[in-house]
Amino acid sequence: MHPAPSVIVFTTLSGLGFGLLFWLGIGLPAVSYLGALLYFALAFALAVGGLLASTFHLGHPERAWRAFTQWRSSWLSREGVCAVAALLVLGLHAFLLVFFGKSIAVLGFVGAALALGTVFTTAMIYTQLKTVPRWNTPITPVLFLSLSLAGGALLAGQGWAALVLLLIAGVTQIFWWLRGDRAFSDSGTDLASATGLGSIGTVRSFEPPHTGTNYLLREFVHEVGRKHAQKLRVIAGVAGFAMPAVLLVLFGFGWFAMALAALLHAGGVAASRWLFFAEAEHVVGLYYGKR
Amino acid sequence: MTLLPETTDKKLGLVIDLDTCVGCHACVISCKGWNTENYGAPLSDQDAYGAEPVGTFLNRVHSFEVTPDETPAQLIHFPKSCLHCEDAPCVTVCPTGASYKRVEDGIVLVNEDHCIGCGLCAWACPYGAREMDGEAKVMKKCTLCVDRIYNENLPEEDRVPSCVRTCPAGARHFGDLGDPSSAVSVLVEERGGMDLMPEQGTKPVNKYLPPRLKDDISTAAPQPLAPVAAEAKGFVGWLDKMLDTV
Amino acid sequence: MKDGKVAYIEGNRDHPVNQGVLCAKGSAGIMQHNAPSRLRKPLKRVGERGSGEFQEIEWDEALQIACDWLEPIRAEDPSKLAFFTGRDQSQSFTSFWAQNFGTPNYAAHGGFCSVNMAAAGIYTMGGAFWEFGQPDWERTKLFMLFGVAEDHDSNPIKMGIGKLKAAGGKIIGVNPIRTGYNAVADEWVGITPGTDGLFILALVHELLKAGKIDLDYLARYTNCPVLVNRDPASSEYGLLMRNGEGKPLVIDHKTGELAAFDAKGVRPSLSMTLEVDGITHVPVMHLLAERYLSEDYAPEAVAERCGVSADRIRAIAAELARVAFDEAFELPIAWTDFRGEEHATMQGRPVSFHSMRGISAHSNGFQTCRALHLLQILLGSVEVPGGFRFKPPYPKPVSVHPKPHCKVTPGKPLDGPHLGFVEGPEWLCLKDDGTPARIDKAFSWENPMSSHGMMHMVISNAYAGDPYKIDTLFLYMANMSWNSSMNTAGTMKMLTDKDENGDYVIPKIIYSDAYSSEMVAYADLVLPDTTYLERHDCISLLDRPICEADAAADAIRWPVVEPDRDVRGFQTVLVQLANKMGLPGFTNEDGSAKYEDYADYITNHERKPGIGPLAGFRGNGESHGRGDVNPNQIDRYIENGGFFVSHIADEAAFMKPWNATYQDWAVKMGLYDSPQPYIFDVYVETMRKFQLAAEGYGERQPPDHLRARIKEHLDPLPIWYPPFEEGLVEEDDFPLHALTQRPMAMYHSWGTQNAWLRQIHGRNPLYVPTDIWEEHRFQTGDWAKLSSAHGAITIPVAHMAALNPKTVWTWNAIGKRKGAWALDDDAPEATEGFLLNHLIHELLPAKGDGMRWANSDPITGQAAWFDLRVRIERVSAPQEAAPVFPPIKSPVGQGPADLAWKVKS
Ligand SMILES: Nc1nc2c(c(=O)[nH]1)N[C@H]1C(S)=C(S)[C@@H](COP(=O)(O)OP(=O)(O)OC[C@H]3O[C@@H](n4cnc5c(=O)[nH]c(N)nc54)[C@H](O)[C@@H]3O)O[C@H]1N2
Ligand SMILES: Nc1nc2c(c(=O)[nH]1)N[C@H]1C(S)=C(S)[C@@H](COP(=O)(O)OP(=O)(O)OC[C@H]3O[C@@H](n4cnc5c(=O)[nH]c(N)nc54)[C@H](O)[C@@H]3O)O[C@H]1N2
Ligand code: SF4
Ligand code: SF4
Ligand code: SF4
Ligand code: SF4
Ligand code: SF4
Ligand SMILES: [Mo]
């Protein structure tokens, strides 16, 4: 899949944002007034920024409101609904905290659930796609959630939680990658099934239907070199999980260590997200002799 | 509405004969022509006369090479457009309801006025049957020429999809695949019509007729011809004999 | 149509040929019609030739310039004008113009296209493949296709294939490349290029040996029973025995008596021989048996060369025999033949053949096409139910076709039509000194039977001043500096070279094109044409009509939109020029103009009394074929959807050359003036006459250096010889054959200006077979250097397994020159697309004696595009495909970036 930079940067950021919102919702840390203002401002900036960005790549953002209507069938619609609900609920929660120093726990917990729900629905948009075998696994939401929670924990200054969650996310990530590398061939979809011609002999794409490019090739066919991908995986693994964890272990949970860890983590997640798209192969590529 | 109908009254679709398609692209262009002038926004082209021309097409013809173990390699021309799947994942993913499957005939359509151009339906389609238009920024797909097949302004015999009408080889057939007695269903039955990517669970309505067995003359041919005479002289003798009989 | 603009193009169901279907090019007609590359106004060259620097001028000035150039030539020596009209569909009109101008130098593109196919068919059976005949798609069960990628009659072929398949019939495709029709063929024979003749004659060998031939058919309808002089010492050695009226003679099987072939009730014998004055005469059938039963034609003897196993050849022969004879059937249609014999039924043989440039565009193409006709005829499958059928105006024997004329008189018309079918040395177009009378050397000893002329030799001959110098080169509708010419770089040089005085070697060039093609830049005066939706056209029975086997049909196009540019239909421009010059056929006795424009000509011109360009709705609108001029004829055509059809009665639908009812119908339609029954010339006596001349007999004698070549190649019975280029280059240096194929979705050079089609074919790789691919360790995305004896190109490659192992190929005419067709300079057509034409020379490499023959068939002069031999080497990917030519300045600017084409209503 085409790794559009905007989508990568902003899914990364909104993941962090909703992660942070989760922690703030459940009152960790329990902030109010100025502290609440700073924390929530950061969280909202990240989350809303991500959402806004996702409307940039729409052909008709002016009709975006229609995307809330199909929550009964569409994960994308559900994501929208969840996100707006999360922002509204936590917005109210934040408002009360910032201006009145008042925390209504239920509101916070509901908001936190909605924040997690948003991350989950986002993940499900990808997970549901049988057409992209690498994504089409329950591990995808686990990965998204664990990353979001870990990142949120780092930002929220939840040292131990962050450490544990980083470990979980790291393991999930490795597991996700390893599974992902087999996913396409395990999916049972290949050029033989795509064309139905497998029973005659080995099938090969001879000539594409057009010598130039098209929407499908631009959107779905992206080839990354194996070496390049491995390098990025190492970078993502080291920056996103290992180094933050090591930092926390070596230097404790002070704000500087936490902030540095969070930054490193965000960078690592961005790299992982780039790979998430770039390495994902859509089955339509088969028709073009690509996978 | 992006919930799929339980069942549809008809299952209108195409049957494509891979044994007959010569890969001429006539269907590709007539589709582009018809759908540019009709349903929804025109199918636009960017950089039309430049270095990287790219435009929207609803039907495209691939070519595959298949190499059997014993006989020579074969080339198979392979037209592909929306298969109007029964379990159309492109419909259920659509957040706006712009994508829908019609109850009356099973055609999968996009309401372009509601489409936000998010592209998710194209992600969900395993067949590459949807393309976002570069100019209108809405999703385009095969409409099964819904504006032809019911079009009272057209003579009855022309109420078939543009690509079907134009296909010179007669490799494209249109009809109700839900009706087991329809001509298309009979064809599918007789020729072992198949689904593309059945494992994707989309239950395509369109079917593909596989190529017939090829290059079997040496095995299937009758005995080699027996000589009537060894050389020219004998042959002339034979001629004499034969001429008396004709 | 929406608001006077063209919105959507759809096929016409009632159209006799297309029956409602349209190909990709047809459907993309809107893009063609609206192409930004359309020329806008007459152009006068202001820069150097080839630069593309022009000034737009008014039509008055353009016509005046042309007249100022042409009138003096006509007064002095009309042959100083060479008028060649490329892909002309109005040849009966353009040739009429040229004839009235008085130049012998006229032809259209047939010589570089497929004249071998046309000539071999007409000389052998009075009609050819090309678009002049078709299989009986309804009834044929086995269809064998030789060397066709797309062809002219492409929609009917596709419809036929569909029909045949639906009915359970089988297709055998003989082609080095398996795409398109050959991809859907049930059996693919991946033959080595240039060897079809051998393969076919091996099939003939097998069939003869097994006696699986239609003796009755051969005896009645072919010259197999005609007697041949067998005395090597006779001046008539090899000629046919004829009676006083010149009719070929046979022996009547019943009486044993000599008889004219067409005498009432005669049953010609295939075996009896006759001795007259000590000279033995044997029927052609004996010669046939003698030659083809020879072990030289045994499957084993040809298998390796053809790249087809002996077993496969045998199996195919057996299958042909099985279907032709075991699945034979009779149609219950009574008919009477030309000998007066009545038949209760028509014998059907459900085997049919079709073929085109794959076998004709070789230097052995004429003989190969003849071999294929021999095969068809031996099976008795021509003009019979289930077999191959002619479309009117065919069948038509050679004798009824015109003969070429070349007598030039200053200020006067030529003595007759330019092109035709010679029947011996006396008809060659030679000057009194024996040198060629035509600039292209057609109908000369170098290629005596060049029925379509040799447009591909005009530029190089004019440049060399051989056989003479010309003053003005006037071209129409042919991209002669690019994809239609061999040796592109050389051609561009010839077009731009100057002599010692600084004048162009080819002094003046006039060109008519509708678009900004590569050729435009090389003209001094450009006459911009309309597109086909903006003008009158006439697809006439006198030309290349649209007939079907059971109907005669012709058609018109008429302007459905007004041009939005200052352009004129070329035919109308010719009328205007003729009027300005007062050319005889265009001028009334009182000096006034006969025709105002082309539409006027189409309606009012009469070739012979009662016969005009259009056959339908003559006279009061009710006479067809023959009839007076009808001033409302064009309107009647438009009312009828643009065409006219006259169906042939069932009892005349088959056996046409011999069928009395058909002959009468043909006379009524004006196809000829009296019934012309004839027998197929399995043995072509005309060729023997040329051989006799080469052996020293007769008045007109070839130059000595050509004697051996004529003796060897003009054999009256089909032979096979290796393509010329093969004999002149070392096999090791150039081990591979290189071919082109027409893409179904692209029309030569001008499909590219079509924004839709160029997305399908915007660049073209060279396809390489598996062994070579692996041997050179090629990988996807690689490039190669491809060299021939003449030059080298650097191009992208791709792998193909369904390909003859000694062959590489690419799609034809995708490569474009920078600056042409209103495309960006970095369009993929110009940076990655390429032509094989850069590697093909119009002359062959020098022989031992230093002579360079034309790269053409020695019989017809057909350009031998597919004889090309090459060598391939892997190279690292360059910036762009080589050779790179400098961009030409576009006279129309560049096309717009984006298209969203809705015609708002
Ligand atoms: N390598 C290789 N070369 C080949 C062949 C091959 O197989 N391989 N095939 C050969 C054969 S068979 C042929 S026929 C030639 C074809 O080659 P061409 O005869 O050159 O055919 P086109 O490229 O169609 O070019 C014809 C010219 O006519 C112009 N034209 C189009 N429409 C109109 C019109 O309405 N009016 C006027 N005045 N001009 C118009 C086009 O713009 C173009 O410049 O190529 C030959 N060259
Ligand atoms: N779409 C489209 N249609 C066209 C045209 C076009 O440009 N585009 N051009 C028109 C014109 S001008 C013409 S002349 C016709 C020509 O129509 P075709 O005769 O179909 O012309 P080509 O594409 O040159 O195809 C030649 C075929 O012969 C095969 N071949 C080459 N050498 C040999 C050989 O030695 N033996 C055998 N058996 N096969 C061989 C090649 O692989 C190729 O398949 O098409 C006409 N129709
Ligand atoms: S082919 Fe693709 S676009 Fe069409 S219905 Fe099926 S999934 Fe949807
Ligand atoms: S692109 Fe349009 S049709 Fe497709 S999912 Fe998005 S809104 Fe629905
Ligand atoms: S049915 Fe209509 S829209 Fe669909 S591919 Fe055919 S022509 Fe195009
Ligand atoms: S028009 Fe028919 S033969 Fe041509 S590519 Fe389409 S399906 Fe195949
Ligand atoms: S083959 Fe030629 S005439 Fe026929 S539809 Fe195509 S472009 Fe038109
Ligand atoms: Mo041609």
Side-chain angles (χ1 to χ4, degrees):
Chain A
M1 305 291 288
H2 172 64
S6 61
V7 177
I8 290 157
V9 170
F10 291 104
T11 57
T12 308
L13 297 186
S14 81
L16 283 174
F18 282 105
L20 177 54
L21 281 174
F22 165 82
W23 291 106
L24 294 174
I26 61 170
L28 293 173
V31 283
S32 54
Y33 300 113
L34 187 62
L37 180 69
L38 289 176
Y39 266 114
F40 275 103
L42 175 63
F44 276 106
L46 292 171
V48 174
L51 281 184
L52 280 182
S54 66
T55 60
F56 284 159
H57 87 272
L58 294 184
H60 287 275
E62 77 281 6
R63 302 176 189 157
W65 61 271
R66 290 191 184 274
F68 300 116
T69 61
Q70 303 301 313
W71 50 270
R72 287 198 298 159
S73 63
S74 164
W75 283 107
L76 179 52
S77 187
R78 288 171 194 155
E79 182 203 38
V81 171
C82 264
V84 170
L87 293 177
L88 285 177
V89 170
L90 288 171
L92 182 62
H93 189 56
F95 179 79
L96 296 176
L97 281 173
V98 171
F99 295 101
F100 305 101
K102 193 166 167 49
S103 167
I104 301 175
V106 182
L107 207 58
F109 275 93
V110 170
L114 285 168
L116 276 195
T118 305
V119 176
F120 177 71
T121 48
T122 306
M124 283 312 289
I125 295 171
Y126 304 108
T127 306
Q128 67 174 342
L129 295 175
K130 268 198 178 159
T131 51
V132 186
R134 194 182 281 275
W135 294 347
N136 187 223
T137 161
I139 315 173
T140 302
V142 175
L143 179 66
F144 272 59
L145 284 168
S146 59
L147 283 173
S148 173
L149 287 172
L154 281 173
L155 291 175
Q158 304 302 310
W160 280 110
L163 203 54
V164 172
L165 282 164
L166 274 175
L167 274 178
I168 296 176
V171 170
T172 312
Q173 175 74 82
I174 289 170
F175 198 61
W176 191 89
W177 276 332
L178 292 180
R179 180 210 163 266
D181 290 343
R182 297 188 324 264
F184 205 100
S185 43
D186 287 356
S187 74
T189 298
D190 54 17
L191 193 49
S193 82
T195 59
L197 299 171
S199 59
I200 304 176
T202 27
V203 190
R204 188 174 78 86
S205 164
F206 171 65
E207 199 171 49
H210 41 94
T211 53
T213 185
N214 72 346
Y215 170 76
L216 299 172
L217 287 171
R218 284 184 175 168
E219 189 78 359
F220 301 129
V221 179
H222 184 90
E223 284 167 302
V224 244
R226 257 183 64 83
K227 281 219 188 89
H228 185 59
Q230 288 307 336
K231 214 158 54 195
L232 271 170
R233 282 187 184 181
V234 170
I235 291 172
V238 169
F241 310 99
M243 281 181 44
V246 168
L247 263 179
L248 297 190
V249 169
L250 289 183
F251 301 102
F253 305 144
W255 72 267
F256 183 75
M258 291 292 272
L260 195 61
L263 266 181
L264 279 168
H265 174 71
V269 173
S272 151
R273 218 29 78 75
W274 189 89
L275 285 168
F276 180 83
F277 289 99
E279 282 192 293
E281 296 146 318
H282 194 287
V283 294
V284 76
L286 290 168
Y287 290 110
Y288 286 88
K290 312 269 163 75
R291 57 150 283 191
Chain B
M1 192 57 201
T2 57
L3 285 176
L4 286 166
E6 287 276 300
T7 58
T8 56
D9 300 343
K10 284 184 176 179
K11 293 179 189 168
L12 295 187
L14 301 176
V15 172
I16 292 168
D17 190 347
L18 298 179
D19 191 59
T20 309
C21 170
V22 296
C24 68
H25 295 262
C27 51
V28 174
I29 300 295
S30 93
C31 171
K32 174 118 177 164
W34 176 261
N35 287 288
T36 280
E37 279 307 320
N38 294 282
Y39 191 97
L43 303 174
S44 69
D45 304 283
Q46 282 68 46
D47 203 14
Y49 303 100
E52 206 173 279
V54 54
T56 315
F57 288 78
L58 309 184
N59 174 31
R60 304 210 185 230
V61 180
H62 294 252
S63 305
F64 298 107
E65 196 172 66
V66 186
T67 312
D69 291 339
E70 303 289 327
T71 48
Q74 303 176 12
L75 206 80
I76 289 150
H77 300 293
F78 196 98
K80 194 161 56 58
S81 52
C82 172
L83 306 159
H84 298 278
C85 306
E86 285 182 57
D87 273 345
C90 57
V91 169
T92 50
V93 299
C94 175
T96 62
S99 262
Y100 63 106
K101 184 168 177 75
R102 300 182 2 145
V103 184
E104 61 270 39
D105 51 17
I107 298 179
V108 174
L109 285 178
V110 173
N111 175 346
E112 292 177 12
D113 294 336
H114 289 188
C115 173
I116 56 172
C118 67
L120 190 57
C121 51
W123 292 31
C125 170
Y127 309 107
R130 292 176 167 243
E131 298 189 14
M132 182 94 73
D133 187 74
E135 170 97 8
K137 310 280 187 216
V138 292
M139 195 52 75
K140 303 293 297 191
K141 68 175 291 299
C142 158
T143 61
L144 207 62
C145 287
V146 66
D147 45 5
R148 287 183 66 97
I149 59 178
Y150 299 112
N151 190 334
E152 311 253 309
N153 296 327
L154 294 176
E156 174 110 38
E157 53 180 356
D158 284 344
R159 288 180 213 157
V160 292
S162 180
C163 57
V164 173
R165 184 189 194 273
T166 211
C167 174
R172 306 175 74 87
H173 305 267
F174 164 73
D176 181 5
L177 287 137
D179 169 4
S181 64
S182 69
V184 278
S185 298
V186 172
L187 204 54
V188 169
E189 185 60 38
E190 277 176 10
R191 298 273 310 279
M194 55 190 187
D195 286 351
L196 305 186
M197 295 188 187
E199 70 286 350
Q200 287 274 334
T202 53
K203 295 208 256 158
V205 168
N206 285 10
K207 300 284 184 252
Y208 283 76
L209 305 179
R212 295 182 173 95
L213 182 62
K214 290 197 160 91
D215 301 308
D216 65 335
I217 199 166
S218 305
T219 46
Q223 296 297 307
L225 298 171
V228 292
E231 25 68 75
K233 263 225 189 73
F235 181 81
V236 171
W238 172 82
L239 268 181
D240 274 338
K241 244 186 8 238
M242 288 310 288
L243 277 172
D244 291 326
T245 67
V246 295
Chain C
M1 299 282 299
K2 289 186 188 172
D3 284 347
K5 289 198 180 131
V6 183
Y8 170 69
I9 299 181
E10 177 168 278
N12 177 350
R13 266 200 202 278
D14 302 322
H15 191 280
V17 176
N18 285 337
Q19 295 170 24
V21 308
L22 268 191
C23 73
K25 298 152 294 150
S27 291
I30 310 181
M31 288 288 116
Q32 207 68 47
H33 169 69
N34 293 307
S37 50
R38 284 168 303 159
L39 296 174
R40 297 166 187 161
K41 219 173 163 40
L43 299 171
K44 187 169 89 178
R45 180 174 60 78
V46 291
E48 290 292 310
R49 251 197 218 156
S51 67
E53 297 280 353
F54 287 103
Q55 179 195 329
E56 293 194 340
I57 56 173
E58 298 304 321
W59 273 103
D60 283 346
E61 186 182 348
L63 293 176
Q64 194 55 51
I65 295 175
C67 272
D68 291 346
W69 292 353
L70 294 175
E71 272 183 314
I73 300 182
R74 184 164 133 71
E76 240 167 70
D77 177 5
S79 64
K80 292 237 174 283
L81 168 67
F83 180 45
F84 284 79
T85 60
R87 316 293 311 292
D88 189 354
Q89 288 211 36
S90 53
Q91 288 175 42
S92 70
F93 168 73
T94 51
S95 64
F96 181 72
W97 189 94
Q99 208 179 307
N100 279 292
F101 184 89
T103 177
N105 295 322
Y106 164 86
H109 80 298
F112 61 70
C113 185
S114 209
V115 61
N116 271 339
M117 192 51 75
I122 285 169
Y123 274 109
T124 308
M125 48 190 208
F129 294 127
W130 205 311
E131 72 249 50
F132 309 133
Q134 66 188 42
D136 180 9
W137 294 113
E138 312 285 335
R139 299 176 191 83
T140 198
K141 291 190 178 138
L142 180 62
F143 173 53
M144 204 166 174
L145 185 68
F146 283 82
V148 182
E150 166 75 346
D151 209 345
H152 300 86
D153 227 3
S154 51
N155 285 330
I157 293 176
K158 287 171 197 132
M159 288 188 270
I161 287 177
K163 221 180 257 177
L164 176 87
K165 288 216 161 217
K170 287 243 183 281
I171 301 171
I172 303 178
V174 184
N175 199 310
I177 309 164
R178 191 177 211 178
T179 57
Y181 308 147
N182 295 286
V184 301
D186 299 276
E187 196 69 28
W188 172 57
V189 181
I191 197 162
T192 299
T195 64
D196 300 70
L198 262 190
F199 169 66
I200 294 166
L201 293 175
L203 294 174
V204 166
H205 173 92
E206 282 293 290
L207 292 168
L208 275 178
K209 201 161 138 191
K212 291 288 186 187
I213 53 176
D214 190 337
L215 292 175
D216 188 48
Y217 184 94
L218 294 175
R220 288 175 188 274
Y221 308 129
T222 75
N223 72 1
C224 283
V226 171
L227 296 170
V228 185
N229 178 324
R230 290 305 287 156
D231 177 7
S234 158
S235 64
E236 295 186 2
Y237 179 48
L239 296 188
L240 302 181
M241 199 174 179
R242 292 175 185 271
N243 66 11
E245 290 169 54
K247 287 196 175 171
L249 296 175
V250 298
I251 301 177
D252 189 341
H253 183 71
K254 288 181 294 195
T255 63
E257 294 295 317
L258 210 53
F261 80 99
D262 60 350
K264 295 276 170 245
V266 164
R267 291 288 283 109
S269 164
L270 289 173
S271 61
M272 291 185 214
T273 60
L274 182 75
E275 207 157 295
V276 187
D277 303 337
I279 295 180
T280 309
H281 292 78
V282 306
V284 166
M285 194 69 204
H286 283 221
L287 307 182
L288 210 85
E290 225 166 88
R291 175 165 298 168
Y292 304 113
L293 284 171
S294 146
E295 287 305 308
D296 294 350
Y297 295 106
E300 277 73 15
V302 310
E304 198 191 320
R305 188 143 212 169
C306 298
V308 188
S309 76
D311 282 348
R312 200 111 187 273
I313 297 175
R314 283 209 182 80
I316 292 170
E319 182 65 7
L320 286 170
R322 185 186 69 74
V323 180
F325 299 106
D326 300 354
E327 298 203 26
F329 60 95
E330 286 173 39
L331 284 189
I333 302 175
W335 65 289
T336 308
D337 73 22
F338 63 100
R339 297 191 184 94
E341 190 171 337
E342 289 173 14
H343 304 259
T345 60
M346 288 179 173
Q347 174 68 58
R349 302 243 177 255
V351 177
S352 58
F353 297 82
H354 184 71
S355 176
M356 251 320 260
R357 297 187 59 255
I359 68 171
S360 67
H362 288 285
S363 54
N364 58 12
F366 180 84
Q367 289 286 17
T368 300
C369 297
R370 288 252 305 131
L372 181 53
H373 296 318
L374 172 65
L375 174 63
Q376 293 179 282
I377 291 171
L378 287 175
L379 290 168
S381 76
V382 181
E383 262 302 320
V384 299
F388 170 77
R389 310 172 67 187
F390 294 121
K391 303 181 193 179
Y394 300 94
K396 195 165 148 185
V398 169
S399 55
V400 181
H401 282 81
K403 298 280 177 291
H405 293 75
C406 63
K407 188 161 177 351
V408 175
T409 318
K412 293 268 168 339
L414 198 70
D415 59 339
H418 304 85
L419 303 175
F421 290 79
V422 298
E423 287 190 277
E426 65 275 28
W427 293 103
L428 291 180
C429 291
L430 302 176
K431 291 190 172 169
D432 293 342
D433 62 2
T435 59
R438 291 173 55 103
I439 185 74
D440 58 357
K441 303 191 190 174
F443 310 110
S444 74
W445 292 104
E446 285 185 28
N447 17 252
M449 295 158 73
S450 34
S451 305
H452 285 183
M454 294 172 69
M455 184 163 179
H456 53 294
M457 298 308 293
V458 173
I459 293 174
S460 64
N461 290 355
Y463 175 74
D466 171 19
Y468 48 80
K469 288 210 170 289
I470 58 161
D471 178 77
T472 300
L473 179 62
F474 188 177
L475 298 175
Y476 164 61
M477 220 196 235
N479 205 4
M480 291 308 287
S481 71
W482 198 245
N483 56 293
S484 331
S485 90
M486 295 175 164
N487 179 19
T488 37
T491 303
M492 288 182 239
K493 181 168 180 298
M494 294 179 218
L495 291 170
T496 49
D497 244 13
K498 295 187 175 166
D499 60 17
E500 58 281 4
N501 306 327
D503 300 325
Y504 285 113
V505 177
I506 300 176
K508 301 185 190 88
I509 301 178
I510 308 177
Y511 181 48
S512 167
D513 201 313
Y515 306 101
S516 172
S517 70
E518 282 87 352
M519 182 61 205
V520 166
Y522 294 91
D524 305 317
L525 176 65
V526 178
L527 305 173
D529 201 351
T530 44
T531 71
Y532 71 99
L533 296 171
E534 298 167 332
R535 63 169 180 246
H536 283 100
D537 273 323
C538 170
I539 304 52
S540 165
L541 280 169
L542 305 175
D543 260 298
R544 293 167 64 179
I546 56 162
C547 303
E548 287 294 283
D550 38 26
D554 59 12
I556 60 161
R557 291 193 199 100
W558 66 97
V560 292
V561 283
E562 279 293 311
D564 53 1
R565 307 159 326 283
D566 193 10
V567 297
R568 291 186 188 172
F570 177 66
Q571 289 78 6
T572 291
V573 171
L574 281 187
V575 171
Q576 290 168 345
L577 280 175
N579 292 347
K580 248 174 124 66
M581 292 189 283
L583 293 191
F586 292 81
T587 313
N588 293 315
E589 310 239 308
D590 65 2
S592 64
K594 272 192 176 171
Y595 314 113
E596 192 184 320
D597 56 15
Y598 190 45
D600 193 358
Y601 167 90
I602 294 174
T603 313
N604 292 310
H605 175 69
E606 284 183 295
R607 208 27 78 89
K608 285 186 256 180
I611 296 191
L614 291 173
F617 314 109
R618 301 192 65 82
N620 59 4
E622 304 312 318
S623 6
H624 304 306
R626 295 171 190 265
D628 288 342
V629 164
N630 172 8
N632 300 320
Q633 195 179 24
I634 287 184
D635 292 337
R636 290 296 305 273
Y637 269 79
I638 296 175
E639 277 165 36
N640 198 44
F643 57 87
F644 158 76
V645 200
S646 168
H647 289 279
I648 301 174
D650 279 353
E651 68 265 31
F654 295 96
M655 324 299 281
K656 290 178 195 131
W658 321 294
N659 185 324
T661 315
Y662 174 80
Q663 295 287 327
D664 292 343
W665 177 86
V667 172
K668 196 179 117 233
M669 282 303 295
L671 302 183
Y672 26 77
D673 293 335
S674 61
Q676 298 289 336
Y678 63 97
I679 47 179
F680 288 164
D681 288 333
V682 163
Y683 185 90
V684 174
E685 192 187 29
T686 298
M687 301 179 74
R688 181 60 203 143
K689 288 187 184 161
F690 285 110
Q691 277 186 325
L692 273 177
E695 286 160 12
Y697 293 100
E699 257 170 50
R700 266 192 163 172
Q701 285 291 304
D704 286 342
H705 71 277
L706 289 170
R707 285 184 194 276
R709 163 172 155 130
I710 293 171
K711 266 190 270 189
E712 186 184 342
H713 300 112
L714 276 88
D715 196 303
L717 282 178
I719 52 168
W720 181 84
Y721 51 89
F724 288 164
E725 182 160 336
E726 187 173 324
L728 292 172
V729 299
E730 287 300 324
E731 166 93 26
D732 291 346
D733 291 345
F734 301 103
L736 299 173
H737 300 258
L739 303 177
T740 57
Q741 297 203 96
R742 280 150 179 63
M744 291 184 179
M746 187 52 83
Y747 203 82
H748 291 291
S749 58
W750 48 296
T752 291
Q753 59 193 322
N754 187 307
W756 294 350
L757 299 181
R758 71 183 287 255
Q759 293 180 53
I760 298 176
H761 292 287
R763 59 172 83 92
N764 53 316
L766 183 84
Y767 288 104
V768 176
T770 307
D771 289 352
I772 310 288
W773 184 262
E774 285 168 359
E775 182 192 323
H776 292 265
R777 298 176 196 288
F778 281 124
Q779 294 195 330
T780 312
D782 275 355
W783 287 62
K785 181 173 157 202
L786 194 70
S787 322
S788 72
H790 171 55
I793 58 181
T794 308
I795 53 178
V797 290
H799 172 215
M800 181 180 198
L803 177 58
N804 172 284
K806 289 185 185 167
T807 303
V808 295
W809 72 280
T810 192
W811 295 118
N812 188 43
I814 303 297
K816 294 286 130 68
R817 175 119 180 237
K818 287 181 179 156
W821 306 106
L823 299 181
D824 243 44
D825 278 354
D826 52 2
E829 291 90 336
T831 56
E832 286 177 56
F834 66 95
L835 301 177
L836 285 188
N837 301 50
H838 306 314
L839 297 182
I840 308 175
H841 204 284
E842 74 277 12
L843 298 176
L844 289 166
K847 281 193 164 195
D849 58 6
M851 293 278 296
R852 292 187 71 180
W853 300 119
N855 185 8
S856 302
D857 187 290
I859 303 165
T860 61
Q862 150 111 43
W865 301 98
F866 295 155
D867 280 3
L868 178 62
R869 299 299 296 251
V870 295
R871 166 178 72 234
I872 194 167
E873 294 146 83
R874 195 168 146 231
V875 295
S876 55
Q879 279 309 89
E880 49 184 27
V884 183
F885 296 97
I888 33 190
K889 182 164 177 276
S890 168
V892 293
Q894 262 163 30
D898 297 339
L899 288 181
W901 202 263
K902 202 126 182 159
V903 177
K904 301 274 177 332
S905 55

